[in-house]
């Protein structure tokens, strides 16, 4: 593939992009090969202890880790310049959420029907987050992708019942993971209200999450497509592996970002990517379309989490519906922290001790806000959204395809 060129806003010299598949590569945001890591370590040693400016750091990661993310493939521009501001099917623009909700009427009522529970307390716990106050971001993407793939295949404008079921299942898996995450993180609030574990205790919360997951599994089995079952059971494995990745950390500074992106894929993007792939399998026999759907979901999912990590530093608790700086308090080094640590090397010791000493959280937050870590993480999310748009644009023009393009923009500009 011909090299693409780029330059940074700060006036760096021109250079060719690193060759590699970047975010469009098959599978998750996997780690680089050992040779690339060794080359990176050699470059770091050759520089000595001198701090590396952040824009040089990004270029350094780009060339050393081309399979993780090849940032240099796109211009470092503003959000407006990178994204598509108009739909391209020639039809009048429609709000993606309004378009998607046409197929999601009674979404939460249908989910509650899947939770056939006779015990009052367990029923109340399991239905707690299915109150219609969530963003329903995943079901919206799923039904829009289903319609876009159906139209691309045979111009069918109907969503199959099995495809709609995938939207419900995706929301159920996501919600079960939230219940379990809140137990692991000892979280006390979510969406502006107390968590399940805060109200009913940790043991019961774990069981409630298990119950939601089992109901999702039953609904998945009812679809009766073994390929789709295999695709979505991969999500559950990825969620577990992602949680284990989050519990650990890398001593080697050059491996941390690969570790972070792999965790981000498994914990967040895998569900979106595989749900999109599942509905494409149900609606279209073409493997090329399946890969388009998967890559769109993967790239949007990673971008969504990157922006979530940015909002942990830039939004207030009222906007987010949960405490900010929560990741630092949990000992987690997200994108803004990892970028900031290149400008402030003293953060590395805090990262390794997971911000456990008094004052670590406040100091780390100040370092992040003084650095360009937030901007660089936002740019990385912008780059993943650009790749998602590139993938979905391969499908036949339709209002649903254009709505998926618009959703990529919404991911970048959301404030909660």
């Amino acid at each position: 593939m011909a090299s693409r060129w780029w330059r940074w806003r700060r006036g760096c010299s021109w250079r060719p992009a690193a060759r590699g598949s970047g975010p469009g590569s098959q599978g998750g945001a996997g780690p680089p090969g050992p040779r690339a890591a060794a080359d990176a370590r050699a470059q770091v040693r050759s520089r000595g202890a001198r701090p590396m400016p952040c824009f040089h750091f990004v270029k350094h990661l780009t060339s050393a880790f081309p399979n993780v993310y090849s940032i240099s493939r796109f211009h470092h521009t503003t959000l407006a310049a990178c994204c598509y501001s108009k739909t391209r099917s020639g039809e009048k623009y429609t709000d993606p959420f309004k378009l998607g909700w046409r197929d999601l009427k009674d979404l939460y009522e249908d989910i509650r029907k899947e939770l056939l529970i006779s015990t009052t307390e367990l029923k109340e716990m399991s239905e707690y987050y299915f109150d219609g106050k969530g963003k329903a971001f995943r079901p919206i993407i799923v039904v829009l992708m289903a319609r876009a793939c159906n139209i691309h295949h045979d111009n069918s404008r109907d969503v199959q019942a099995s495809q709609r079921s995938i939207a419900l299942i995706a929301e159920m898996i996501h919600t079960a993971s939230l219940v379990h995450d809140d137990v692991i993180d000892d979280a006390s609030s979510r969406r502006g209200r107390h968590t399940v574990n805060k109200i009913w205790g940790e043991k019961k919360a774990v069981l409630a999450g298990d119950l939601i997951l089992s109901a999702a599994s039953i609904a998945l089995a009812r679809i009766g497509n073994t390929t789709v079952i295999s695709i979505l059971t991969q999500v559950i494995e990825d969620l577990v592996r992602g949680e284990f990745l989050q519990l650990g950390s890398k001593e080697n500074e050059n491996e941390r970002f690969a570790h972070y992106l792999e965790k981000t894929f498994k914990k967040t993007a895998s569900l979106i990517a595989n749900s999109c792939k599942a509905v494409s399998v149900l609606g279209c026999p073409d493997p090329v379309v399946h890969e388009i759907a998967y890559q769109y979901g993967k790239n949007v999912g990673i971008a969504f989490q990157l922006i979530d990590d940015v909002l942990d530093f830039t939004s207030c608790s009222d906007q987010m519906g949960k405490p900010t700086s929560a990741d630092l308090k949990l000992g987690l080094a997200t994108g803004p922290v990892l970028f900031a640590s290149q400008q402030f090397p003293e953060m590395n010791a805090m990262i390794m001790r997971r911000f456990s000493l008094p004052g670590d959280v406040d100091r780390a937050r100040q370092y992040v806000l003084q650095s360009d870590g937030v901007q660089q993480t936002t740019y990385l999310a912008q780059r993943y959204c650009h790749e998602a748009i590139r993938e979905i644009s391969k499908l036949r023009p339709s209002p649903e395809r254009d709505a998926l393009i618009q959703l990529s923009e919404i991911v970048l500009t959301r404030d909660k």
Side-chain angles (χ1 to χ4, degrees):
M1 182 167 51
S3 294
R4 292 193 177 106
W5 296 79
W6 67 284
R7 65 179 173 183
W8 292 90
R9 286 180 293 185
R10 296 188 180 189
C12 297
S13 60
W14 291 89
R15 57 161 281 177
R19 295 180 185 273
S21 53
S25 59
Q26 181 64 262
R35 184 171 181 177
D39 290 345
R41 287 192 289 270
Q43 291 178 39
V44 172
R45 283 196 297 269
S46 69
R47 289 188 177 93
R50 181 170 54 86
M52 191 188 310
C54 200
F55 62 92
H56 287 311
F57 167 60
V58 179
K59 292 201 297 180
H60 164 70
L61 280 176
T62 297
S63 59
F65 303 156
N67 290 326
V68 179
Y69 59 92
S70 177
I71 293 180
S72 58
R73 289 177 60 194
F74 299 101
H75 291 288
H76 189 175
T77 56
T78 63
L79 296 182
C82 173
C83 294
Y84 294 68
S85 60
K86 295 181 181 179
T87 58
R88 297 184 293 172
S89 67
E91 299 191 31
K92 186 177 179 180
Y93 166 74
T94 304
D95 184 318
F97 289 92
K98 289 182 180 178
L99 192 61
W101 271 111
R102 294 185 309 175
D103 299 308
L104 294 174
K105 184 180 178 181
D106 300 325
L107 168 69
Y108 293 106
E109 182 180 339
D110 291 342
I111 289 176
R112 288 192 289 269
K113 288 177 182 176
E114 295 288 346
L115 299 168
L116 297 175
I117 307 164
S118 56
T119 306
T120 302
E121 185 181 37
L122 190 54
K123 180 180 175 65
E124 187 177 355
M125 291 165 58
S126 301
E127 295 180 354
Y128 186 68
Y129 287 134
F130 298 119
D131 56 1
K133 295 181 181 179
K135 292 184 285 288
F137 180 74
R138 290 153 190 83
I140 292 287
I141 285 185
V142 170
V143 294
L144 289 175
M145 181 62 73
R147 279 184 177 269
C149 290
N150 294 352
I151 291 170
H152 179 84
H153 173 53
D154 59 7
N155 209 30
S156 170
R157 295 186 176 269
D158 295 326
V159 172
Q160 301 172 23
S162 58
Q163 290 175 315
R164 186 179 183 277
S165 292
I166 297 297
L168 272 68
I169 292 165
E171 186 70 358
M172 292 168 77
I173 293 174
H174 170 60
T175 303
S177 73
L178 295 184
V179 175
H180 285 158
D181 278 356
D182 287 342
V183 173
I184 293 170
D185 299 341
D186 193 27
S188 59
S189 65
R190 180 177 292 278
R191 298 174 182 170
R193 57 195 300 201
H194 289 311
T195 55
V196 172
N197 52 290
K198 181 73 172 179
I199 298 173
W200 288 281
E202 291 185 357
K203 292 181 180 179
K204 290 182 178 180
V206 170
L207 295 174
D210 290 346
L211 184 68
I212 297 169
L213 201 55
S214 68
S217 300
I218 292 170
L220 178 59
R222 198 182 303 129
I223 292 174
N225 185 305
T226 55
T227 301
V228 168
I229 291 171
S230 178
I231 289 170
L232 284 179
T233 51
Q234 181 63 48
V235 172
I236 299 173
E237 178 185 334
D238 284 344
L239 283 169
V240 175
R241 291 185 181 276
E243 195 61 52
F244 267 87
L245 285 170
Q246 182 165 287
L247 292 173
S249 58
K250 293 289 185 181
E251 288 190 29
N252 189 308
E253 298 169 27
N254 299 304
E255 295 176 357
R256 284 182 193 149
F257 223 104
H259 182 91
Y260 165 65
L261 287 177
E262 185 181 6
K263 181 268 297 182
T264 297
F265 170 77
K266 291 186 182 301
K267 283 202 64 178
T268 303
S270 175
L271 174 58
I272 300 173
N274 284 295
S275 297
C276 286
K277 184 177 181 179
V279 292
S280 74
V281 168
L282 290 168
C284 176
D286 188 354
V288 173
V289 174
H290 304 165
E291 184 64 12
I292 290 170
Y294 178 88
Q295 291 296 339
Y296 173 84
K298 169 191 163 186
N299 284 286
V300 164
I302 292 175
F304 185 93
Q305 186 58 50
L306 289 171
I307 294 300
D308 212 55
D309 294 342
V310 164
L311 291 174
D312 198 43
F313 289 94
T314 61
S315 277
C316 65
S317 298
D318 289 341
Q319 280 180 302
M320 293 290 286
K322 56 186 177 181
T324 52
S325 297
D327 291 329
L328 287 176
K329 293 170 186 174
L330 292 171
L332 304 179
T334 57
V337 173
L338 295 175
F339 279 118
S341 69
Q342 295 303 309
Q343 291 175 268
F344 300 100
E346 52 268 42
M347 292 183 71
N348 289 314
M350 289 190 281
I351 290 172
M352 286 311 302
R353 62 177 178 255
R354 300 179 72 89
F355 313 104
S356 58
L357 294 184
D360 276 359
V361 169
D362 290 336
R363 285 175 59 210
R365 179 177 175 81
Q366 288 306 312
Y367 281 134
V368 168
L369 296 179
Q370 291 169 27
S371 74
D372 58 3
V374 164
Q375 293 89 333
Q376 295 295 359
T377 307
T378 301
Y379 167 58
L380 186 56
Q382 177 182 336
R383 186 260 181 193
Y384 275 105
C385 280
H386 193 142
E387 184 68 11
I389 291 169
R390 189 182 71 82
E391 288 290 339
I392 200 65
S393 296
K394 296 174 184 177
L395 296 184
R396 179 185 297 181
S398 67
E400 286 76 16
R401 187 203 68 168
D402 292 340
L404 289 168
I405 291 174
Q406 294 291 341
L407 270 179
S408 301
E409 300 180 16
I410 291 171
V411 164
L412 291 173
T413 56
R414 67 191 183 95
D415 59 3
K416 62 179 180 179

